[in-house]
Each structure stands twice: as C-alpha cells, then as structure tokens.
Amino acid sequence: MHCKSPNMKLALHWYFVLSFILSAIVAYENFVIMEEKKLLPFVKLVRDNYTVELIPDDITLTDEQTADQCKESSITVNSPEELFYLQRRCDILEGNLIIGTDYQERIIDLGFIKEIKGDLVLDGNANIFRLVGENLNTIGGTFTLRGTMSLVAIIFPVLRRINIIDWQVVPVLDHLELGSNLEGLQQLIISDSSISDLNVFKGVQELDIFNINNNRFLEIINSDLKRVSKQLRIHANADELVINMSQLESVDNITIRDAAGINLPELTYVNSSMEIIENFCSDLILPKLKRVDGTLGIIGNPSLQNVSYQNLRVIQGGLMIANNSELTNLDFFPNLKQIGGAIHFDGNFITANMPKLKLVKGSAFIRSTADYFDCKRWFTPVNGRAIVRGGKLKCIANERESTIRIGDDGSLIDNDDSPQYDDSPENKDRQENSAMLRSKIRGLLPLTTLLSMYLILF
C-alpha cells in the first residue's frame, strides 16, 4: 500500500471542491431556466439597457385562461409588467393590442409576439421613445400612431404583412426598420414626421391610398407603385422633395403640391381628377397620359416652363391652367379632342393653341396679361361652329373683354364686345394722355375751319 504525500492530499481536496462548485453552478443555471419557463414570480427583463423589475404574479393562470386571453377581441396594456406577461403567454393575438396612455416607460418591447390579427394602436402615448418587435411578422389590421410625440424609432425587422399604416403627429420619428417586400398593404398614411425617405415601402406595387404630407425632412420618394385605386396625395413636405414614381400606370385621384421634381413617365390613366398645384418644378412631362376622367388643374406653379401632355386625348371634367407665371404658351395638348367641363385659363400666355380640340362641354374663361394674345381663335372657329357648347365664353386680352353666349349646337346666341375696365396706374396715364391729345385737337378745330373757308372762297 502506497502512502499519499501531503501535496497529493491538497490537490485532491481542491479537485473535489472545484468539482462541487461547478456542479452547483450548472444545477443552478438549469433551475433558473426551468423556473423562468414556468414564469416564476420574480423575473428581471433586461433589454437595450432598459430594466423592468416585475412584481410577483399573485394569480396563476391555467392553460385555458391563457388561451382565452390570447383570443380576446381587444387587449389594453398599461404597464411593462402587463406587456411582459402577455408576450410570454401569447405569440398570436386574435384581436387588437392597445398600448394605454398610462404606459409610462420609454421603450415598448413586444417580445415573443409574432402576430397581431387586429390593430396595433398607440394614441397619445407621449413618453414612448422606441417601439420594438423583433418577432412580429404580421399586423392584420391598422397600425395606428397618434400623438406619439417622443417616438424616434420603429424596429420590426421581420414584419412582412400589414394592412394599413396610419401614422399622424409623430414629429420626431425618423428611423424605420421593417421587413422587406411588405405584403397586403392597402393604405399608407404618414403625416407630420421627421422621416427623410420611404425606402422601406419602395417595393409596394398596389395601394388604395398613398397620403404623404407634412414630413418636413422628406426630400425623396422612390416608389415602385403601379396602381393607386383611390387617392394619391403628396403635399407640404420638404421644399426639395423629388417624386420618382417611374412605374405608376394608373391612379384614381392625384394631388401633388410643394414638390421640386415630378417624374411620372408611365402614368396612362387618371380615373378621377389630377391637380398639380404650387410646386417648384420647372418641368412637367407626362408622355403616356391618355385620359383624365375628372378635372385637370395646373395652378400656381411659379417655375413651370416646360409642360407636355402629348398623348392626352380626353378630359372628362374641367381644365384649369392659372397663375403659372413662367408658362407663356399653352400649346402642350397637341392631341386633346374633348373637354367635358369648363375651361379656365389665366396667366401671361401668348398662345392657347389646341389644334385638335373639337368640343368643350361647358363655359370658358380666358384671360391673358400678355400684349399679343388673340381671342379670335376661340370666337371664330374654322368650321363655323364654336368649340364651346352650351355656355358662355369670356376672353380678356389687350384691354378688351369679349363675351359670347353659345347654344348646345355651337351656334351664337348673343355677343357682348366691350372695352375692358382697367384701373391700373399705367392705364390711367394712358387715358390722361389720350384726353390731353383730344383737347389739343379740339383747340385746333376753329383754325382748320377758317383755312378751309379761305381755300373754298379764294
């Protein structure tokens, strides 16, 4: 039998001690994991340097009770504790999830929630700084943000399906992380944010509503949209905003305001009205547009110089072109044949030439401040019948105002051709000079009369 040295005994002693400690650590970790899965009362959730100390859960829910909660038509959470327990019990919510206004913490983490079949609503949550859903892939209803004054970021990296986005009064929101190739989106409404681009929505090809307004840092819209079935409205964003919708083919109602560039090369049909109002662009080229089934308005665009609607043939509503100070020739409708409503032209244009226009089913008002605009082209049609049918045609140019009334068949009913009243200082000066000239002529009349009598008698 061999005797153990003191060194050997010490080594064995520490070996057993360390083995015991390691075994205890492993056992403790397994214990924590098992108990966390059971949702023991005391849990600490740490995420992004944000810690929530959870209070003991005095109520133990059965599996049936948990399933019932997940199926509720609407759930409102007012604290991080409530949200934590909800996301641990339910990865799918059958109804709406509402973040109550009593929710005071800065970050909302949806944790294990994968699907919200109803709406996700934050209304008046002024303290929320960040909204996170690492596992959220579906919002079946409307994602509503209203008055979330402090919200900076939305992080839903795997979101792939959503029905409606309606974000209004989110003034500091500027960071979006959403899944690529969103599916099912029908309405996109973003108002009053700090978003600078919409690239996360670039792949969306069809929408009912596209309404982007009052986003003061939004300088570019690049979109693959092909169809907008109800409303496309863009206004009051950054003055430098450039709109590139290179694939848009049809839209119901379109309004664009306050843009520095408009690019719609494939737009072919407008099923209702089209309004291009108070923009800063110099060019407006729509080479493929064939038909506008409502009113077409080009109004108050101070830099607009180059316009082309070369394939437009029918406007079912009215046509209004007014207050475009740099637009001197209204000759950009070479193939327009019919206007279903009234026309209103007002500006500094020299010509208003629409060579193929045959019919205007309404009244016409034309006023030009240019020196050489001629109203005759509208009053004296080549074929003997007026283009304007069943209304009144008024033309003001060269200090004259002419008005005629026209029957439904294009025949003249009455004519009123009178000088235009002009009370401008320049016109008053001309009138005074004319009066002085007439006075001088009247003063010479006696002399001319005497000279005539002398020649007759002698």
Side-chain angles (χ1 to χ4, degrees):
M1 178 176 241
H2 298 283
C3 294
K4 296 177 181 175
S5 67
N7 291 337
M8 179 65 72
K9 290 181 179 180
L10 182 62
L12 289 171
H13 170 76
W14 284 111
Y15 170 78
F16 286 117
V17 169
L18 292 174
S19 297
F20 175 78
I21 292 172
L22 290 173
S23 298
I25 291 173
V26 171
Y28 176 75
E29 288 180 346
N30 290 334
F31 171 79
V32 169
I33 292 171
M34 290 175 65
E35 293 304 309
E36 190 180 48
K37 288 181 179 178
K38 295 178 182 178
L39 267 181
L40 280 181
F42 298 96
V43 183
K44 180 180 286 188
L45 173 64
V46 181
R47 178 180 179 79
D48 295 332
N49 298 320
Y50 173 69
T51 302
V52 179
E53 295 286 352
L54 296 181
I55 60 175
D57 189 359
D58 295 331
I59 301 175
T60 302
L61 297 179
T62 65
D63 291 341
E64 183 178 351
Q65 289 173 317
T66 297
D68 289 342
Q69 185 183 30
C70 300
K71 293 179 180 179
E72 289 182 11
S73 61
S74 186
I75 299 172
T76 299
V77 295
N78 289 299
S79 69
E81 293 86 358
E82 292 178 3
L83 181 58
F84 177 79
Y85 284 116
L86 177 67
Q87 59 90 23
R88 293 302 297 263
R89 293 166 182 150
C90 307
D91 60 349
I92 298 177
L93 300 178
E94 297 291 334
N96 305 325
L97 175 59
I98 301 170
I99 307 299
T101 54
D102 292 334
Y103 196 105
Q104 295 299 317
E105 301 299 338
R106 301 277 285 166
I107 295 176
I108 293 176
D109 191 337
L110 301 181
F112 295 113
I113 297 175
K114 295 179 180 180
E115 182 176 354
I116 301 171
K117 292 189 176 182
D119 302 335
L120 173 59
V121 179
L122 287 81
D123 190 344
N125 305 85
N127 296 321
I128 306 302
F129 174 76
R130 182 182 299 175
L131 180 57
V132 180
E134 294 284 354
N135 295 290
L136 185 65
N137 60 58
T138 300
I139 300 175
T142 300
F143 180 10
T144 298
L145 298 175
R146 287 278 197 287
T148 50
M149 309 302 289
S150 302
L151 184 64
V152 172
I154 298 172
I155 302 172
F156 293 166
V158 298
L159 185 69
R160 61 179 180 80
R161 188 168 189 84
I162 188 169
N163 188 23
I164 296 172
I165 288 176
D166 186 358
W167 301 342
Q168 300 188 46
V169 194
V170 284
V172 295
L173 178 63
D174 67 356
H175 182 78
L176 301 178
E177 289 184 32
L178 306 179
S180 59
N181 300 319
L182 287 175
E183 300 175 1
L185 187 61
Q186 296 182 20
Q187 299 182 21
L188 178 60
I189 302 167
I190 303 177
S191 176
D192 190 7
S193 80
S194 293
I195 292 171
S196 59
D197 67 66
L198 298 175
N199 291 337
V200 292
F201 306 108
K202 186 177 186 299
V204 177
Q205 295 191 345
E206 294 190 21
L207 285 173
D208 292 338
I209 294 176
F210 183 90
N211 189 336
I212 308 297
N213 68 83
N214 290 283
N215 303 287
R216 56 192 177 280
F217 300 116
L218 184 61
E219 297 184 354
I220 186 74
I221 294 178
N222 289 318
S223 172
D224 293 339
L225 273 173
K226 291 185 177 181
R227 283 170 289 279
V228 179
S229 62
K230 292 182 179 178
Q231 180 196 77
L232 190 157
R233 186 173 179 83
I234 303 170
H235 67 93
N237 299 292
D239 291 345
E240 300 83 7
L241 176 65
V242 175
I243 301 167
N244 290 318
M245 293 186 164
S246 58
Q247 298 185 42
L248 185 65
E249 298 173 356
S250 67
V251 63
D252 187 74
N253 192 310
I254 177 170
T255 300
I256 297 178
R257 305 178 72 131
D258 314 301
I262 301 172
N263 183 29
L264 305 169
E266 298 296 321
L267 184 60
T268 306
Y269 298 102
V270 176
N271 300 319
S272 185
S273 296
M274 181 177 198
E275 296 178 337
I276 308 296
I277 302 175
E278 296 176 351
N279 295 282
F280 311 108
C281 53
S282 59
D283 300 321
L284 181 61
I285 312 297
L286 290 96
K288 293 190 176 181
L289 184 61
K290 295 180 179 180
R291 186 182 183 94
V292 176
D293 285 342
T295 297
L296 172 60
I298 305 171
I299 304 163
N301 303 283
S303 302
L304 192 60
Q305 297 179 349
N306 184 24
V307 180
S308 177
Y309 285 78
Q310 64 185 36
N311 280 308
L312 184 61
R313 288 166 170 77
V314 176
I315 300 174
Q316 289 285 57
L319 173 61
M320 185 173 186
I321 304 172
N323 302 324
N324 305 288
S325 54
E326 296 296 317
L327 203 57
T328 56
N329 292 290
L330 307 187
D331 58 357
F332 39 82
F333 298 108
N335 292 298
L336 183 61
K337 296 180 179 181
Q338 178 177 313
I339 299 173
I343 61 174
H344 183 110
F345 301 157
D346 194 349
N348 186 38
F349 46 86
I350 299 171
T351 62
N353 186 26
M354 301 174 192
K356 294 188 178 181
L357 185 62
K358 305 297 182 185
L359 180 61
V360 177
K361 296 180 179 180
S363 297
F365 176 87
I366 303 170
R367 177 167 59 191
S368 173
T369 58
D371 292 334
Y372 303 108
F373 184 78
D374 187 0
C375 292
K376 290 181 179 178
R377 188 252 181 264
W378 294 90
F379 283 98
T380 312
V382 176
N383 61 3
R385 291 186 181 275
I387 294 172
V388 177
R389 304 287 177 87
K392 180 171 69 173
L393 194 162
K394 177 183 285 189
C395 186
I396 302 171
N398 300 314
E399 300 182 11
R400 298 193 67 84
E401 178 179 315
S402 301
T403 303
I404 61 174
R405 296 184 182 276
I406 305 166
D408 292 338
D409 60 353
S411 60
L412 178 66
I413 296 176
D414 60 51
N415 188 351
D416 178 15
D417 190 0
S418 59
Q420 176 189 5
Y421 178 70
D422 186 353
D423 60 353
S424 66
E426 294 81 5
N427 191 55
K428 288 182 178 179
D429 290 340
R430 288 193 294 269
Q431 290 177 347
E432 290 174 1
N433 293 334
S434 178
M436 290 176 61
L437 180 60
R438 288 194 298 269
S439 177
K440 290 178 181 180
I441 292 174
R442 284 195 298 268
L444 291 174
L445 281 176
L447 293 177
T448 56
T449 301
L450 289 172
L451 181 58
S452 299
M453 291 177 64
Y454 176 83
L455 293 173
I456 291 171
L457 293 174
F458 299 98

